[in-house]
Amino acid sequence: LLEDARKVAARGVGEVNLVSQDTTAYGRDLYGKPRLAELVRSLVLITPFVTATPRLLAVVDAWARVAAEASPEALAAMLLPWLYGGDFLSDTAACRRVVKSLAEAASRIPAATLQRQAAGLRAWSGTRERDLGRIRARTLVIAGADDLLTPGAADVARAIPGAALELVASAGHAVGIEAAERVSRAILAHLRAR
């Protein structure tokens, strides 16, 4: 990771962002112990959770089952109200566009992949709660106020020393899509702050 970061920095890139990577063991092979925490200066968590709620687990199970038994369009329609907030859902044209896009994406993801993801989520759930208090990087937590799937973002932010919380009113789990400009502005402001 560090070598890759240096390569892109040499090309003029000023920031490197890691997204959805399990980097907890980074450095063990090179230094004999994990060292990523020493390198990370800022962190942005979007719709985070550390322990899956029963609702999230039920939705993930239903997602995998519907993916195996129904059309991608049916799966997309089933997911829509779980991912988006009420304001977005009141826009019929936007919902049609999103269902079409979700269906296209769903058609490329085998149900077995979703089943493995669900199993991994269950196995991981609750295993990192104690680690939040050890985070030393400046942290911004972003979540939709109407997120039905991962409603504990404020708890995550409180557990991380000095973390800031950006709670977006009327947005659901897909806050990055529903409020893309606001989320982008919050991330940029966080990254620019030193």
Side-chain angles (χ1 to χ4, degrees), residues 85-96:
D87 286 354
F88 184 89
L89 293 171
S90 67
D91 183 340
T92 306
C95 288
R96 275 196 297 270

Side-chain angles (χ1 to χ4, degrees), residues 52-107:
T53 64
R55 174 177 280 134
L56 175 59
L57 295 173
V59 169
V60 168
D61 289 342
W63 184 345
R65 183 171 177 178
V66 172
E69 298 177 9
S71 69
E73 292 77 17
L75 175 60
M78 189 266 319
L79 289 174
L80 189 70
W82 292 106
L83 296 176
Y84 293 89
D87 286 354
F88 184 89
L89 293 171
S90 67
D91 183 340
T92 306
C95 288
R96 275 196 297 270
R97 286 190 305 273
V98 166
V99 166
K100 182 179 178 188
S101 181
L102 281 172
E104 288 171 6
S107 70

Side-chain angles (χ1 to χ4, degrees), residues 83-150:
L83 296 176
Y84 293 89
D87 286 354
F88 184 89
L89 293 171
S90 67
D91 183 340
T92 306
C95 288
R96 275 196 297 270
R97 286 190 305 273
V98 166
V99 166
K100 182 179 178 188
S101 181
L102 281 172
E104 288 171 6
S107 70
R108 296 187 300 272
I109 302 170
T113 298
L114 294 172
Q115 291 164 348
R116 286 191 305 275
Q117 182 180 10
L121 185 144
R122 284 179 184 283
W124 179 86
S125 179
T127 64
R128 296 287 183 249
E129 201 158 346
R130 291 186 314 258
D131 295 335
L132 295 176
R134 295 178 25 210
I135 295 173
R136 297 295 173 248
R138 283 182 318 97
T139 303
L140 172 62
V141 176
I142 301 174
D146 292 346
D147 187 343
L148 298 174
L149 297 178
T150 57

